[in-house]
Amino acid sequence: MGPPGIGKTCLAAFWPGTYWIPDPTEMGIMDLIDSGMVKTVNPATQVHPTMQDFNELLALNVKIAEGRAGLPEGTKTLVYESMKGFETFCHKTCCERSFQGNWNDEAGGFMFFQKGYDISASQYWSKFMLQVAELRELGFTIILTGHSRSEE
């Protein structure tokens, strides 16, 4: 985790047998591929089509665990780029399912006493993290990228 531009994506691109799972807001790996840098340091790098929602991400993890995802031979590392985008997907899914799409901070809304965040963590995000733990147990190296804000 670190501020934008520090080199998180670049560092992860050096891991052997990487398979990238991007959210729509984080396409730094594509910039590295377009520049030719990734081809030079890690020609086996593959990028999954951009995730569109949280359910798609969970389904992909199941397919990977079951060996049905069609990963390139030699894939050793899964790079989830980035946690902020996937967290946003998680909150959206929680709001739609648990709060009928109501984001308000009034009774019955996602923001009401932060209930949506609590439910997101306990019922939705925990599923993702358990899947990641299972993938690690299956022998994959897992890299989760994320951004922090730098205070000036």
Side-chain angles (χ1 to χ4, degrees):
M1 195 171 212
I6 200 167
K8 297 175 297 296
T9 301
C10 188
L11 176 65
F14 279 85
W15 254 262
T18 55
Y19 188 78
W20 293 73
I21 304 168
D23 82 71
T25 66
E26 279 301 321
M27 296 306 292
I29 186 60
M30 298 311 295
D31 291 338
L32 294 175
I33 290 170
D34 290 346
S35 75
M37 182 177 170
V38 170
K39 186 174 183 165
T40 303
V41 299
N42 198 352
T45 296
Q46 296 289 319
V47 181
H48 189 275
T50 304
M51 293 283 105
Q52 298 303 313
D53 64 39
F54 196 66
N55 295 322
E56 183 182 8
L57 176 63
L58 296 178
L60 176 62
N61 286 339
V62 169
K63 286 181 181 178
I64 292 171
E66 294 175 348
R68 298 182 300 112
L71 297 181
E73 189 168 329
T75 297
K76 300 175 184 177
T77 304
L78 303 174
V79 182
Y80 293 86
E81 173 113 293
S82 97
M83 290 299 86
K84 183 61 178 167
F86 296 136
E87 178 185 46
T88 300
F89 282 164
C90 177
H91 295 322
K92 183 177 179 193
T93 297
C94 176
C95 184
E96 289 169 357
R97 288 187 182 171
S98 300
F99 298 90
Q100 294 72 51
N102 181 356
W103 287 96
N104 292 325
D105 60 359
E106 300 163 358
F110 182 90
M111 297 299 290
F112 184 64
F113 286 111
Q114 304 296 306
K115 288 185 184 278
Y117 293 111
D118 292 342
I119 293 172
S120 288
S122 66
Q123 294 181 21
Y124 296 91
W125 194 251
S126 60
K127 286 180 186 177
F128 171 73
M129 294 310 295
L130 287 170
Q131 287 179 334
V132 168
E134 180 183 354
L135 293 170
R136 285 187 65 211
E137 288 175 11
L138 291 172
F140 289 100
T141 298
I142 306 293
I143 298 176
L144 310 168
T145 67
H147 292 117
S148 65
R149 275 182 52 184
S150 57
E151 301 297 324
E152 301 198 23

mmCIF file of all heavy atoms in Angstrom, residues 46-80:
data_model
loop_
_atom_site.group_PDB
_atom_site.id
_atom_site.type_symbol
_atom_site.label_atom_id
_atom_site.label_comp_id
_atom_site.label_asym_id
_atom_site.label_seq_id
_atom_site.Cartn_x
_atom_site.Cartn_y
_atom_site.Cartn_z
ATOM 1 N N GLN A 46 -0.081 -11.975 -17.668
ATOM 2 C CA GLN A 46 -1.399 -12.011 -18.292
ATOM 3 C C GLN A 46 -2.350 -11.143 -17.483
ATOM 4 O O GLN A 46 -2.240 -11.075 -16.253
ATOM 5 C CB GLN A 46 -1.941 -13.445 -18.319
ATOM 6 C CG GLN A 46 -1.128 -14.396 -19.168
ATOM 7 C CD GLN A 46 -1.275 -14.107 -20.649
ATOM 8 O OE1 GLN A 46 -2.363 -13.817 -21.120
ATOM 9 N NE2 GLN A 46 -0.185 -14.194 -21.384
ATOM 10 N N VAL A 47 -3.302 -10.513 -18.161
ATOM 11 C CA VAL A 47 -4.274 -9.643 -17.502
ATOM 12 C C VAL A 47 -5.674 -10.159 -17.794
ATOM 13 O O VAL A 47 -6.047 -10.331 -18.962
ATOM 14 C CB VAL A 47 -4.136 -8.172 -17.968
ATOM 15 C CG1 VAL A 47 -5.150 -7.284 -17.255
ATOM 16 C CG2 VAL A 47 -2.715 -7.673 -17.739
ATOM 17 N N HIS A 48 -6.427 -10.406 -16.744
ATOM 18 C CA HIS A 48 -7.820 -10.832 -16.872
ATOM 19 C C HIS A 48 -8.645 -9.637 -17.360
ATOM 20 O O HIS A 48 -8.322 -8.491 -17.051
ATOM 21 C CB HIS A 48 -8.340 -11.299 -15.510
ATOM 22 C CG HIS A 48 -9.680 -11.952 -15.566
ATOM 23 N ND1 HIS A 48 -10.847 -11.246 -15.531
ATOM 24 C CD2 HIS A 48 -10.033 -13.246 -15.672
ATOM 25 C CE1 HIS A 48 -11.864 -12.075 -15.611
ATOM 26 N NE2 HIS A 48 -11.400 -13.299 -15.694
ATOM 27 N N PRO A 49 -9.719 -9.874 -18.100
ATOM 28 C CA PRO A 49 -10.598 -8.750 -18.449
ATOM 29 C C PRO A 49 -11.040 -8.021 -17.177
ATOM 30 O O PRO A 49 -11.238 -8.636 -16.128
ATOM 31 C CB PRO A 49 -11.783 -9.423 -19.142
ATOM 32 C CG PRO A 49 -11.214 -10.691 -19.706
ATOM 33 C CD PRO A 49 -10.179 -11.137 -18.696
ATOM 34 N N THR A 50 -11.206 -6.728 -17.277
ATOM 35 C CA THR A 50 -11.546 -5.886 -16.139
ATOM 36 C C THR A 50 -12.799 -6.386 -15.420
ATOM 37 O O THR A 50 -13.805 -6.673 -16.054
ATOM 38 C CB THR A 50 -11.775 -4.441 -16.613
ATOM 39 O OG1 THR A 50 -10.600 -4.005 -17.296
ATOM 40 C CG2 THR A 50 -12.040 -3.507 -15.458
ATOM 41 N N MET A 51 -12.699 -6.486 -14.118
ATOM 42 C CA MET A 51 -13.845 -6.884 -13.299
ATOM 43 C C MET A 51 -14.921 -5.797 -13.366
ATOM 44 O O MET A 51 -14.601 -4.613 -13.418
ATOM 45 C CB MET A 51 -13.440 -7.041 -11.827
ATOM 46 C CG MET A 51 -12.498 -8.184 -11.547
ATOM 47 S SD MET A 51 -13.329 -9.774 -11.541
ATOM 48 C CE MET A 51 -12.820 -10.448 -13.085
ATOM 49 N N GLN A 52 -16.172 -6.210 -13.364
ATOM 50 C CA GLN A 52 -17.264 -5.244 -13.439
ATOM 51 C C GLN A 52 -18.094 -5.149 -12.166
ATOM 52 O O GLN A 52 -18.798 -4.183 -11.957
ATOM 53 C CB GLN A 52 -18.172 -5.573 -14.623
ATOM 54 C CG GLN A 52 -17.458 -5.487 -15.958
ATOM 55 C CD GLN A 52 -16.828 -4.128 -16.206
ATOM 56 O OE1 GLN A 52 -17.458 -3.092 -16.009
ATOM 57 N NE2 GLN A 52 -15.578 -4.114 -16.635
ATOM 58 N N ASP A 53 -18.028 -6.193 -11.324
ATOM 59 C CA ASP A 53 -18.739 -6.116 -10.043
ATOM 60 C C ASP A 53 -18.175 -7.155 -9.085
ATOM 61 O O ASP A 53 -17.361 -7.992 -9.450
ATOM 62 C CB ASP A 53 -20.260 -6.262 -10.207
ATOM 63 C CG ASP A 53 -20.716 -7.604 -10.729
ATOM 64 O OD1 ASP A 53 -20.147 -8.648 -10.345
ATOM 65 O OD2 ASP A 53 -21.668 -7.614 -11.528
ATOM 66 N N PHE A 54 -18.632 -7.086 -7.842
ATOM 67 C CA PHE A 54 -18.111 -7.925 -6.777
ATOM 68 C C PHE A 54 -18.447 -9.401 -7.005
ATOM 69 O O PHE A 54 -17.616 -10.274 -6.750
ATOM 70 C CB PHE A 54 -18.660 -7.436 -5.432
ATOM 71 C CG PHE A 54 -17.918 -7.967 -4.253
ATOM 72 C CD1 PHE A 54 -16.602 -7.619 -4.026
ATOM 73 C CD2 PHE A 54 -18.541 -8.812 -3.347
ATOM 74 C CE1 PHE A 54 -15.904 -8.109 -2.928
ATOM 75 C CE2 PHE A 54 -17.865 -9.304 -2.247
ATOM 76 C CZ PHE A 54 -16.543 -8.949 -2.030
ATOM 77 N N ASN A 55 -19.639 -9.685 -7.492
ATOM 78 C CA ASN A 55 -20.024 -11.072 -7.737
ATOM 79 C C ASN A 55 -19.125 -11.712 -8.793
ATOM 80 O O ASN A 55 -18.794 -12.897 -8.700
ATOM 81 C CB ASN A 55 -21.492 -11.159 -8.162
ATOM 82 C CG ASN A 55 -22.409 -10.714 -7.058
ATOM 83 O OD1 ASN A 55 -22.173 -10.987 -5.897
ATOM 84 N ND2 ASN A 55 -23.467 -10.005 -7.418
ATOM 85 N N GLU A 56 -18.755 -10.954 -9.793
ATOM 86 C CA GLU A 56 -17.856 -11.460 -10.829
ATOM 87 C C GLU A 56 -16.494 -11.806 -10.220
ATOM 88 O O GLU A 56 -15.894 -12.831 -10.561
ATOM 89 C CB GLU A 56 -17.705 -10.413 -11.943
ATOM 90 C CG GLU A 56 -16.844 -10.876 -13.082
ATOM 91 C CD GLU A 56 -16.661 -9.810 -14.152
ATOM 92 O OE1 GLU A 56 -17.064 -8.646 -13.965
ATOM 93 O OE2 GLU A 56 -16.091 -10.158 -15.199
ATOM 94 N N LEU A 57 -16.022 -10.961 -9.316
ATOM 95 C CA LEU A 57 -14.747 -11.213 -8.642
ATOM 96 C C LEU A 57 -14.820 -12.494 -7.816
ATOM 97 O O LEU A 57 -13.930 -13.350 -7.890
ATOM 98 C CB LEU A 57 -14.385 -10.019 -7.746
ATOM 99 C CG LEU A 57 -13.127 -10.151 -6.903
ATOM 100 C CD1 LEU A 57 -11.892 -10.278 -7.783
ATOM 101 C CD2 LEU A 57 -13.009 -8.951 -5.965
ATOM 102 N N LEU A 58 -15.894 -12.656 -7.041
ATOM 103 C CA LEU A 58 -16.049 -13.865 -6.229
ATOM 104 C C LEU A 58 -16.138 -15.107 -7.114
ATOM 105 O O LEU A 58 -15.541 -16.143 -6.799
ATOM 106 C CB LEU A 58 -17.293 -13.753 -5.338
ATOM 107 C CG LEU A 58 -17.274 -12.650 -4.272
ATOM 108 C CD1 LEU A 58 -18.601 -12.634 -3.517
ATOM 109 C CD2 LEU A 58 -16.104 -12.795 -3.326
ATOM 110 N N ALA A 59 -16.862 -15.013 -8.215
ATOM 111 C CA ALA A 59 -17.005 -16.153 -9.128
ATOM 112 C C ALA A 59 -15.659 -16.520 -9.754
ATOM 113 O O ALA A 59 -15.349 -17.715 -9.922
ATOM 114 C CB ALA A 59 -18.035 -15.839 -10.208
ATOM 115 N N LEU A 60 -14.860 -15.523 -10.106
ATOM 116 C CA LEU A 60 -13.541 -15.809 -10.675
ATOM 117 C C LEU A 60 -12.678 -16.549 -9.658
ATOM 118 O O LEU A 60 -11.989 -17.508 -10.001
ATOM 119 C CB LEU A 60 -12.850 -14.516 -11.126
ATOM 120 C CG LEU A 60 -11.418 -14.704 -11.636
ATOM 121 C CD1 LEU A 60 -11.386 -15.612 -12.875
ATOM 122 C CD2 LEU A 60 -10.787 -13.356 -11.933
ATOM 123 N N ASN A 61 -12.708 -16.122 -8.412
ATOM 124 C CA ASN A 61 -11.914 -16.793 -7.385
ATOM 125 C C ASN A 61 -12.309 -18.261 -7.253
ATOM 126 O O ASN A 61 -11.449 -19.130 -7.078
ATOM 127 C CB ASN A 61 -12.052 -16.083 -6.041
ATOM 128 C CG ASN A 61 -11.299 -14.778 -6.000
ATOM 129 O OD1 ASN A 61 -10.384 -14.548 -6.784
ATOM 130 N ND2 ASN A 61 -11.680 -13.910 -5.088
ATOM 131 N N VAL A 62 -13.604 -18.553 -7.333
ATOM 132 C CA VAL A 62 -14.073 -19.937 -7.264
ATOM 133 C C VAL A 62 -13.520 -20.726 -8.450
ATOM 134 O O VAL A 62 -13.008 -21.848 -8.295
ATOM 135 C CB VAL A 62 -15.617 -20.005 -7.223
ATOM 136 C CG1 VAL A 62 -16.117 -21.424 -7.425
ATOM 137 C CG2 VAL A 62 -16.138 -19.426 -5.913
ATOM 138 N N LYS A 63 -13.590 -20.146 -9.644
ATOM 139 C CA LYS A 63 -13.076 -20.825 -10.833
ATOM 140 C C LYS A 63 -11.574 -21.089 -10.713
ATOM 141 O O LYS A 63 -11.095 -22.158 -11.104
ATOM 142 C CB LYS A 63 -13.352 -20.000 -12.094
ATOM 143 C CG LYS A 63 -14.787 -20.032 -12.533
ATOM 144 C CD LYS A 63 -14.958 -19.199 -13.794
ATOM 145 C CE LYS A 63 -16.399 -19.196 -14.247
ATOM 146 N NZ LYS A 63 -16.589 -18.350 -15.435
ATOM 147 N N ILE A 64 -10.842 -20.119 -10.191
ATOM 148 C CA ILE A 64 -9.396 -20.309 -10.016
ATOM 149 C C ILE A 64 -9.153 -21.459 -9.047
ATOM 150 O O ILE A 64 -8.338 -22.353 -9.307
ATOM 151 C CB ILE A 64 -8.719 -19.011 -9.529
ATOM 152 C CG1 ILE A 64 -8.760 -17.942 -10.622
ATOM 153 C CG2 ILE A 64 -7.272 -19.287 -9.106
ATOM 154 C CD1 ILE A 64 -8.323 -16.554 -10.171
ATOM 155 N N ALA A 65 -9.852 -21.460 -7.915
ATOM 156 C CA ALA A 65 -9.670 -22.501 -6.903
ATOM 157 C C ALA A 65 -9.996 -23.882 -7.454
ATOM 158 O O ALA A 65 -9.353 -24.876 -7.100
ATOM 159 C CB ALA A 65 -10.526 -22.194 -5.677
ATOM 160 N N GLU A 66 -10.980 -23.954 -8.324
ATOM 161 C CA GLU A 66 -11.405 -25.227 -8.901
ATOM 162 C C GLU A 66 -10.615 -25.599 -10.154
ATOM 163 O O GLU A 66 -10.868 -26.642 -10.758
ATOM 164 C CB GLU A 66 -12.897 -25.182 -9.237
ATOM 165 C CG GLU A 66 -13.776 -25.067 -7.997
ATOM 166 C CD GLU A 66 -15.248 -24.893 -8.323
ATOM 167 O OE1 GLU A 66 -15.592 -24.629 -9.515
ATOM 168 O OE2 GLU A 66 -16.064 -24.985 -7.397
ATOM 169 N N GLY A 67 -9.687 -24.738 -10.573
ATOM 170 C CA GLY A 67 -8.886 -25.012 -11.757
ATOM 171 C C GLY A 67 -9.630 -24.825 -13.055
ATOM 172 O O GLY A 67 -9.241 -25.356 -14.096
ATOM 173 N N ARG A 68 -10.715 -24.039 -13.020
ATOM 174 C CA ARG A 68 -11.545 -23.842 -14.213
ATOM 175 C C ARG A 68 -11.410 -22.450 -14.814
ATOM 176 O O ARG A 68 -12.175 -22.087 -15.687
ATOM 177 C CB ARG A 68 -13.030 -24.059 -13.870
ATOM 178 C CG ARG A 68 -13.385 -25.438 -13.390
ATOM 179 C CD ARG A 68 -14.876 -25.617 -13.120
ATOM 180 N NE ARG A 68 -15.384 -24.699 -12.108
ATOM 181 C CZ ARG A 68 -16.237 -23.693 -12.345
ATOM 182 N NH1 ARG A 68 -16.675 -23.437 -13.540
ATOM 183 N NH2 ARG A 68 -16.660 -22.928 -11.346
ATOM 184 N N ALA A 69 -10.448 -21.666 -14.370
ATOM 185 C CA ALA A 69 -10.350 -20.275 -14.823
ATOM 186 C C ALA A 69 -9.546 -20.119 -16.103
ATOM 187 O O ALA A 69 -9.499 -19.030 -16.676
ATOM 188 C CB ALA A 69 -9.745 -19.401 -13.719
ATOM 189 N N GLY A 70 -8.911 -21.175 -16.557
ATOM 190 C CA GLY A 70 -8.118 -21.079 -17.774
ATOM 191 C C GLY A 70 -6.887 -20.207 -17.612
ATOM 192 O O GLY A 70 -6.486 -19.519 -18.552
ATOM 193 N N LEU A 71 -6.284 -20.250 -16.428
ATOM 194 C CA LEU A 71 -5.066 -19.465 -16.209
ATOM 195 C C LEU A 71 -3.935 -20.002 -17.076
ATOM 196 O O LEU A 71 -3.855 -21.209 -17.325
ATOM 197 C CB LEU A 71 -4.640 -19.530 -14.739
ATOM 198 C CG LEU A 71 -5.597 -18.958 -13.713
ATOM 199 C CD1 LEU A 71 -4.999 -19.089 -12.317
ATOM 200 C CD2 LEU A 71 -5.946 -17.519 -14.006
ATOM 201 N N PRO A 72 -3.072 -19.119 -17.522
ATOM 202 C CA PRO A 72 -1.928 -19.574 -18.311
ATOM 203 C C PRO A 72 -1.057 -20.535 -17.494
ATOM 204 O O PRO A 72 -0.950 -20.399 -16.274
ATOM 205 C CB PRO A 72 -1.153 -18.283 -18.611
ATOM 206 C CG PRO A 72 -2.131 -17.182 -18.401
ATOM 207 C CD PRO A 72 -3.094 -17.668 -17.370
ATOM 208 N N GLU A 73 -0.456 -21.491 -18.170
ATOM 209 C CA GLU A 73 0.440 -22.417 -17.485
ATOM 210 C C GLU A 73 1.569 -21.626 -16.823
ATOM 211 O O GLU A 73 2.076 -20.666 -17.398
ATOM 212 C CB GLU A 73 1.021 -23.416 -18.482
ATOM 213 C CG GLU A 73 1.771 -24.524 -17.805
ATOM 214 C CD GLU A 73 2.107 -25.652 -18.749
ATOM 215 O OE1 GLU A 73 1.332 -25.896 -19.692
ATOM 216 O OE2 GLU A 73 3.137 -26.282 -18.528
ATOM 217 N N GLY A 74 1.918 -22.008 -15.640
ATOM 218 C CA GLY A 74 2.984 -21.325 -14.911
ATOM 219 C C GLY A 74 2.508 -20.164 -14.059
ATOM 220 O O GLY A 74 3.321 -19.486 -13.444
ATOM 221 N N THR A 75 1.198 -19.930 -14.012
ATOM 222 C CA THR A 75 0.694 -18.849 -13.159
ATOM 223 C C THR A 75 0.947 -19.212 -11.705
ATOM 224 O O THR A 75 0.508 -20.261 -11.235
ATOM 225 C CB THR A 75 -0.811 -18.617 -13.379
ATOM 226 O OG1 THR A 75 -1.023 -18.205 -14.734
ATOM 227 C CG2 THR A 75 -1.340 -17.535 -12.445
ATOM 228 N N LYS A 76 1.678 -18.340 -11.027
ATOM 229 C CA LYS A 76 2.024 -18.559 -9.624
ATOM 230 C C LYS A 76 1.501 -17.450 -8.730
ATOM 231 O O LYS A 76 1.364 -17.633 -7.529
ATOM 232 C CB LYS A 76 3.544 -18.622 -9.470
ATOM 233 C CG LYS A 76 4.207 -19.710 -10.251
ATOM 234 C CD LYS A 76 5.718 -19.598 -10.131
ATOM 235 C CE LYS A 76 6.380 -20.645 -11.002
ATOM 236 N NZ LYS A 76 7.825 -20.528 -10.983
ATOM 237 N N THR A 77 1.260 -16.294 -9.320
ATOM 238 C CA THR A 77 0.933 -15.105 -8.540
ATOM 239 C C THR A 77 -0.336 -14.462 -9.069
ATOM 240 O O THR A 77 -0.463 -14.233 -10.273
ATOM 241 C CB THR A 77 2.083 -14.084 -8.603
ATOM 242 O OG1 THR A 77 3.292 -14.714 -8.149
ATOM 243 C CG2 THR A 77 1.800 -12.861 -7.757
ATOM 244 N N LEU A 78 -1.267 -14.167 -8.176
ATOM 245 C CA LEU A 78 -2.476 -13.434 -8.517
ATOM 246 C C LEU A 78 -2.341 -12.027 -7.967
ATOM 247 O O LEU A 78 -2.095 -11.846 -6.769
ATOM 248 C CB LEU A 78 -3.704 -14.120 -7.912
ATOM 249 C CG LEU A 78 -3.920 -15.576 -8.307
ATOM 250 C CD1 LEU A 78 -5.084 -16.173 -7.523
ATOM 251 C CD2 LEU A 78 -4.146 -15.708 -9.810
ATOM 252 N N VAL A 79 -2.477 -11.040 -8.844
ATOM 253 C CA VAL A 79 -2.375 -9.641 -8.437
ATOM 254 C C VAL A 79 -3.758 -9.023 -8.544
ATOM 255 O O VAL A 79 -4.316 -8.907 -9.640
ATOM 256 C CB VAL A 79 -1.379 -8.854 -9.318
ATOM 257 C CG1 VAL A 79 -1.273 -7.410 -8.826
ATOM 258 C CG2 VAL A 79 -0.013 -9.525 -9.330
ATOM 259 N N TYR A 80 -4.309 -8.637 -7.406
ATOM 260 C CA TYR A 80 -5.614 -7.966 -7.356
ATOM 261 C C TYR A 80 -5.336 -6.471 -7.335
ATOM 262 O O TYR A 80 -4.798 -5.937 -6.370
ATOM 263 C CB TYR A 80 -6.389 -8.385 -6.099
ATOM 264 C CG TYR A 80 -6.802 -9.828 -6.120
ATOM 265 C CD1 TYR A 80 -5.947 -10.826 -5.677
ATOM 266 C CD2 TYR A 80 -8.052 -10.187 -6.599
ATOM 267 C CE1 TYR A 80 -6.333 -12.159 -5.697
ATOM 268 C CE2 TYR A 80 -8.444 -11.519 -6.628
ATOM 269 C CZ TYR A 80 -7.575 -12.496 -6.166
ATOM 270 O OH TYR A 80 -7.962 -13.814 -6.198
#
